[in-house]
Amino acid sequence: MFINGEWCESSTGNSFEVTDPATGAVIGSMPDGGTDDAERAITAADAAFAQWSSTTARERSDILLKAWQIMTARAGELAELMTREQGKPLKAARNEVNYAADFLRFYSEEATRVAGEWLPSQRSDQRFLILRQPVGVVAMVTPWNYPISMLTRKMGPALAAGCTLVLKPAEDTPLCAKAVFDVFVEAGIPAGVINMVTAKDPKPIGEVFTSDPRVRKITFTGSTPVGRMLAGKAAANLKRVSVELGGHAPFIVFPDADPVRAAKGAAALKFLNSGQACISPNRLYVSEQHAEAFTETMAERVAKVNAGNGFTEGVGVGPLVNEAAVAKVEAQVDDAVAKGAAALVGGHRLNEGEFASGHFFAPTLLSGVTESMTIYREETFGPVAPIITYGSVEEVVSLANDTEYGLAAYVYTNDISTAIRTAEGLRFGIIGVNDVNPTSASVPFGGMKDSGIGREGSHDGIEEYLETKSIGFAV
Ligand code: ADP
C-alpha cells in the first residue's frame, strides 16, 4: 500500500495473491488492508491537503505532464503487466495505456484553466468574487476491466483541481494500480497527496470511505449494485458523489445503413476486452432487410476472432476475469438458446488444452434474440454478440431506450436527419454515429439512469472535483 509517501504493509501484515486470469498462475501479492489502513491513508491525504491545494496550477500541471511523459515512455512495460494481470491482448493493453496517459496530459492542461468569476450585485456598493476550489480529500474505488485508465481518469482531474486522494483499486488488478503510483512518485508527487489501500475484501474500506467526515467526495467505477450502495451511504453523509456504472448499449442498424460496414464495426467493438466493458454493444438491433447481410458478415468476422492468452500473437479475445464471469455468460447464452436463439458461432465455454486453467468463453454470435431472454435485459460482460431483428424504424429508439441503463449507444445510418434525431432521442450519455469509439480524454464520459451520476474526461471531469465559493465585497 502507499501511505504518506511510503510503500507499506497492511496493519495486520496480511497479504493476498494476484493471479493471471489466462493461466491461473500466481503473479504477485499485495497487502490486505482494512479499516485502520484506510483511516491512516485518509489522515495522510487530509494532512497533505492544505499544502497541495495551495500549490499553483502550474506546479500541479507540471507534475501531471511529467507523469504523462513517464507513463508514455513505459507504455510497453505497463501493457505487459496489464496483459498478465488482467488478460487483455497486448495490443489492447497498449491502447489502454495510451488512453490512460491522455488523461494525464489533458488534465495537466486543464489544471491551468480553472478560473473564477467577477460578478455584479443588485447593490451598487457590492461586488462578488467567485472562486473555484478543490473539494478536499477524494476517495476513489476503481474496477479491474480497465485497470490503468480508470485510475488516471479520476486521479488526473482530482490532482489538477488541487485535491488529495485515497484509492482502493480492484482486488483483481492491484499490481497495475501500484505501477500507476510508481509513475506519480517518479513524477515528484509530494508525500500524502496520493495514497493507496489494497484489500481482498473491499467492504470495510468502502464503509470508511463513505463515513469518514474528512472524505469530501467519493468517485466510483464498477457495477450498478455496488455503486448504488456506496452512493447511498455517501449521500447520507452529504459527500459529493460520482458513479460510473453498468451499461447495456444498443447498436442500431437503420435500413439506409451499409450492413456490411455496420457488422464490421460491431465485430471490432464487441470483442474488445472480451466484452467486459460498460460501453460494449450488448443489443444489436438490425432492420429486417439487413438481417441476412449483417449476420453473414458478423458470422465470418466472429469466427475469425481467436481466444487465447493475451501474449499470443493474433489473439483477439483474452480470458474473462474469473469463473463467476464465465458462469454468468454461460447462463445467459444457455437461456437464450433454450428460448429459441441460434448460436451461429461459439456459444460455449472453452476449458480444454491451453484453456484448461484460465477463464475462457468462446467468441459467440447469437441470432434470433428476443425480449423474453435474460441477455436482452441483463448486462452482458462477455464476448457475446446478440442480434435482434426489428421491423419498425419508428419503434426501434423506444426498444433501445427500454432499459434501466443509459451509458453508450451506437447508430449506423447514412441519413443525417436520422442520425441527429436518433442521437437526440436516445437516453444515453455517449452516442457513436457510424463510430465504434466515441470516447476521448477531451470529451465527457458518463451515463444516465442506472448507468451513473457525473461525467469524467473533458472540462466537465474537473468540475466534479471543484467547489464554488462566492465572496461578497462591500465597496
Ligand atoms: P465488478 O462486478 O465489475 O467486479 P464491482 O462493483 O464489484 O464490479 O467492483 C468494482 C470496484 O468496487 C472494485 O474495486 C471492488 O473492490 C469495489 N467494491 C465491490 N464491492 C464493494 C463494497 N461493498 N464496498 C466498497 N467497494 C466495493
Side-chain angles (χ1 to χ4, degrees):
M1 307 194 299
F2 190 74
I3 299 178
N4 204 23
E6 308 264 343
W7 289 105
C8 57
E9 296 303 319
S10 68
S11 49
T12 59
N14 294 340
S15 59
F16 64 97
E17 288 179 342
V18 184
T19 54
D20 176 342
T23 64
V26 174
I27 54 168
S29 75
M30 287 294 275
D32 191 7
T35 53
D36 290 355
D37 302 300
E39 279 163 15
R40 219 155 35 94
I42 294 168
T43 301
D46 189 44
F49 180 71
Q51 194 154 15
W52 179 248
S53 59
S54 58
T55 53
T56 64
R58 179 55 65 196
E59 287 172 85
R60 299 194 297 275
S61 170
D62 285 348
I63 289 178
L64 286 166
L65 191 63
K66 189 86 194 292
W68 169 74
Q69 284 162 342
I70 297 167
M71 188 172 275
T72 306
R74 272 194 210 156
E77 189 189 311
L78 291 168
E80 281 184 22
L81 172 63
M82 196 191 299
T83 296
R84 189 164 301 114
E85 188 181 37
Q86 195 270 347
K88 69 184 69 179
L90 198 53
K91 196 168 147 215
R94 187 76 187 231
N95 288 342
E96 185 186 334
V97 176
N98 290 340
Y99 180 54
D102 275 351
F103 287 103
L104 302 176
R105 181 164 56 170
F106 181 81
Y107 285 107
S108 82
E109 295 157 351
E110 211 60 25
T112 64
R113 295 183 195 132
V114 175
E117 280 184 297
W118 185 249
L119 293 179
S121 163
Q122 310 303 94
R123 282 167 33 199
S124 64
D125 65 345
Q126 187 183 40
R127 307 289 183 273
F128 281 107
L129 171 63
I130 313 299
L131 289 188
R132 309 285 286 138
Q133 292 184 308
V135 295
V137 175
V138 181
M140 305 183 165
V141 179
T142 53
W144 48 266
N145 59 344
Y146 288 88
I148 295 192
S149 57
M150 294 304 98
L151 274 61
T152 56
R153 188 153 86 176
K154 295 182 191 304
M155 294 174 76
L159 295 172
C163 295
T164 57
L165 63 94
V166 181
L167 169 77
K168 193 214 71 66
E171 52 277 23
D172 298 293
T173 55
L175 302 179
C176 281
K178 180 173 188 295
V180 170
F181 269 59
D182 281 335
V183 167
F184 277 106
V185 170
E186 212 174 303
I189 196 90
V193 174
I194 63 169
N195 304 275
M196 175 169 77
V197 182
T198 49
K200 179 76 188 148
D201 177 8
K203 288 187 205 74
I205 314 282
E207 289 292 332
V208 175
F209 281 4
T210 49
S211 60
D212 193 305
R214 296 169 297 177
V215 172
R216 294 316 320 152
K217 178 183 169 89
I218 304 264
T219 172
F220 170 85
T221 299
S223 63
T224 295
V226 175
R228 193 193 300 279
M229 182 277 290
L230 290 177
K233 288 191 172 168
N237 290 319
L238 298 177
K239 298 184 196 306
R240 296 259 302 254
V241 173
S242 309
V243 284
E244 201 269 278
L245 310 174
H248 203 35
F251 184 107
I252 307 173
V253 183
F254 278 98
D256 64 81
D258 171 353
V260 171
R261 181 165 175 239
K264 287 179 181 171
L269 178 61
K270 176 67 233 185
F271 299 97
L272 289 177
N273 217 21
S274 305
Q276 303 171 115
C278 48
I279 61 170
S280 192
N282 281 351
R283 296 173 290 144
L284 309 177
Y285 292 98
V286 182
S287 75
E288 270 163 6
Q289 59 268 58
H290 285 331
E292 202 180 317
F294 182 91
T295 307
E296 203 173 291
T297 306
M298 275 294 277
E300 269 166 34
R301 295 268 157 156
V302 179
K304 283 190 200 140
V305 178
N306 292 323
N309 190 310
F311 283 111
T312 308
E313 188 69 31
V315 158
V317 163
L320 296 186
V321 65
N322 52 32
E323 165 54 30
V326 178
K328 183 182 165 195
V329 174
E330 187 174 49
Q332 288 181 341
V333 170
D334 289 352
D335 168 80
V337 170
K339 290 177 181 158
L344 303 179
V345 185
H348 50 86
R349 61 167 72 216
L350 298 168
N351 48 15
E352 314 240 307
E354 65 160 314
F355 302 117
S357 42
H359 309 294
F360 290 92
F361 199 87
T364 297
L365 179 65
L366 295 178
S367 68
V369 170
T370 62
E371 284 189 49
S372 66
M373 302 170 186
T374 318
I375 200 162
Y376 189 91
R377 298 251 162 238
E378 199 175 87
E379 182 179 30
T380 316
F381 234 52
V384 182
I387 299 179
I388 302 143
T389 308
Y390 72 89
S392 157
V393 168
E394 285 68 39
E395 274 172 20
V396 71
V397 174
S398 323
L399 293 175
N401 281 338
D402 182 20
T403 167
E404 67 267 32
Y405 293 111
L407 189 57
Y410 304 88
V411 179
Y412 270 71
T413 175
N414 285 320
D415 182 283
I416 188 76
S417 299
T418 304
I420 293 169
R421 287 186 189 283
T422 307
E424 285 174 354
L426 287 168
R427 298 281 302 145
F428 294 81
I430 301 160
I431 318 270
V433 178
N434 301 328
D435 185 2
V436 293
N437 187 16
T439 60
S440 162
S442 56
V443 299
F445 185 109
M448 302 178 182
K449 304 195 283 187
D450 283 7
S451 288
I453 302 172
R455 292 293 179 269
E456 296 189 304
S458 84
H459 184 70
D460 291 28
I462 201 166
E463 294 292 322
E464 303 277 345
Y465 299 95
L466 293 169
E467 283 282 14
T468 300
K469 185 182 282 175
S470 304
I471 308 170
F473 290 83
V475 295

